[in-house]
Amino acid sequence: SDPPPPAPLTEAERAALVERYSTVLSTARSLNPEVQVLPVSKTKSVEMIQVLRDAGVETFGENYVQELCSKMEHFSSSPSPPTFVFIGSLQSNKINKLLSGAASSLLLRVDTVSSPKVATKLAAAASAWGTGRRLQVCVQVDTSLEASKSGVPYNDREALEGLVAHIRSLPSLEYKGVMTIGAPGDDVCFDRLTAVHEILGGDVRSMGMSGDFEKAIAKGATEVRCGSNIFGARAYPP
């Protein structure tokens, strides 16, 4: 059976949520006035997203296809819905689900493209949207070369340039830049992504999370992905 819905937020909880977001944003903007903060709302309620949407936040990050689809469905009838960036690992068999139906109009960008095969499948699904709308994508770069990390190795220039050229050849996709997860506490990952971004180009250099976003901005991030320092600790189902 489905878990019970979370209890409604109190006024104090709503205010605290907005305050935490505002604190992260002001800290980030003090380091770079142009930087974007992407609140990562995985495992968090649609009510929390709505509170921040009402406070002016436009776009949120999500990691799980099923959860993102249900959230897009929830907001699809909203007069002023948020948009979403998918930042989780993307299995090619989930792509059609992610991009199908009217609610997928709220999917702004997919940040975890790491192979021509995934790009091709995303393009095929996005082409069904029609009306000249394109899906924004970022290339995921593996900057730590850990076995657990996904992405194109930062030192494989041929693969990186080939993937970007492939994305640019697909009319339903729009190449936006690069993202990395990096190894916790290893600032070298930020330098590596910056070097890759300078070769590949694009508007987005997404790196840094709640624990290291300030360092990432100092190293040149244009976007940081912050979850727990905005929404609080994750609530994973048992």
Side-chain angles (χ1 to χ4, degrees):
S1 64
D2 288 335
L9 297 175
T10 64
E11 279 305 312
E13 287 169 333
R14 297 165 78 93
L17 174 59
V18 173
E19 179 66 26
R20 287 193 300 270
Y21 169 76
S22 300
T23 299
V24 172
L25 184 66
S26 60
T27 301
R29 291 275 166 88
S30 71
L31 296 163
N32 173 0
E34 304 289 308
V35 75
Q36 299 296 312
V37 172
L38 183 71
V40 178
S41 45
K42 66 177 177 183
T43 80
K44 299 300 179 178
S45 68
V46 291
E47 184 187 10
M48 294 181 98
I49 295 173
Q50 187 64 56
V51 167
L52 290 181
R53 181 72 194 93
D54 292 342
V57 182
E58 294 181 355
T59 305
F60 296 81
E62 288 284 345
N63 290 63
Y64 308 114
V65 170
Q66 183 66 47
E67 182 182 357
L68 173 52
C69 287
S70 66
K71 284 176 174 174
M72 290 192 297
E73 193 65 44
H74 172 86
F75 285 109
S76 61
S77 56
S78 165
S80 184
T83 55
F84 293 94
V85 175
F86 184 75
I87 59 173
S89 67
L90 188 59
Q91 292 140 326
S92 54
N93 63 345
K94 298 275 182 75
I95 286 174
N96 284 341
K97 179 176 178 58
L98 185 61
L99 271 72
S100 64
S104 69
S105 65
L106 302 185
L107 180 64
L108 176 69
R109 203 172 77 217
V110 172
D111 276 5
T112 45
V113 178
S114 56
S115 72
K117 176 187 170 188
V118 165
T120 300
K121 285 201 156 194
L122 281 170
S127 66
W129 286 348
T131 68
R133 182 170 167 248
R134 295 192 294 168
L135 174 67
Q136 299 177 8
V137 296
C138 284
V139 167
Q140 182 171 0
V141 181
D142 178 359
T143 52
S144 62
L145 306 184
E146 297 170 283
S148 61
K149 292 293 194 293
S150 303
V152 183
Y154 75 92
N155 53 3
D156 191 342
R157 180 168 178 165
E158 184 179 354
L160 288 162
E161 291 183 326
L163 178 53
V164 172
H166 181 65
I167 291 167
R168 290 189 189 279
S169 77
L170 298 166
S172 57
L173 300 185
E174 180 183 1
Y175 170 73
K176 291 299 286 185
V178 293
M179 75 83 82
T180 196
I181 295 172
D186 186 358
D187 298 355
V188 174
C189 293
F190 300 148
D191 297 323
R192 288 170 176 164
L193 191 72
T194 297
V196 166
H197 186 242
E198 285 169 355
I199 294 168
L200 300 180
D203 301 330
V204 177
R205 188 188 296 170
S206 174
M207 59 189 194
M209 297 187 274
S210 292
D212 57 10
F213 75 97
E214 292 160 272
K215 286 181 182 172
I217 295 168
K219 295 274 189 178
T222 69
E223 182 170 285
V224 291
R225 307 179 301 274
C226 293
S228 55
N229 60 351
I230 295 173
F231 290 100
R234 300 271 163 236
Y236 290 104

